[in-house]
Amino acid sequence: MDKPTFKQRIAYDLGSELPAELHAWVVQDVVGRGAMERYLIRFVGPIIPFFVLILLFPGPMTLKLGLIVMMIVPLIIFTIALTYVWRRYRLVQHGLDPDLVDHEKCKDCDREVYNLRYRR
């Protein structure tokens, strides 16, 4: 499986489409092992420096940490809530089947069917 160059990877992380020969890599990136962790790092990682800047504000440390927590908790909640939509969008953007996101659900269903059929 080909991997994108550094320049292609930065463009991909910023939302652009990769060439057709890298579609296998896109599928692995969006629905493969560790996809959720990569997704969270891509969305929460760039915002961390802004949270660090809050520590430079004048005032007690508890107020600063409380402010950071009040901003990061909704960010993480909405990021996790929108992962399904974002992953389907990235697959459609590259001309791939958006139902690949449901691959994990299919594995669970297959396991249930197997258990019902052969584990009596």
Side-chain angles (χ1 to χ4, degrees), residues 47-111:
I47 297 172
I48 300 277
F50 295 110
F51 293 144
V52 172
L53 286 176
I54 291 173
L55 297 176
L56 299 176
F57 289 171
M61 185 58 77
T62 55
L63 179 67
K64 296 175 196 178
L65 293 177
L67 185 60
I68 291 171
V69 168
M70 285 176 26
M71 288 188 294
I72 204 165
V73 168
L75 173 71
I76 292 174
I77 289 171
F78 284 113
T79 302
I80 291 171
L82 293 173
T83 183
Y84 184 76
V85 174
W86 181 82
R87 289 164 51 184
R88 288 180 65 88
Y89 165 74
R90 292 299 277 188
L91 289 171
V92 169
Q93 180 186 25
H94 288 86
L96 300 168
D97 182 19
D99 292 331
L100 290 172
V101 174
D102 299 329
H103 183 66
E104 290 298 320
K105 291 179 185 175
C106 292
K107 282 183 185 177
D108 294 339
C109 291
D110 290 343
R111 175 56 63 187

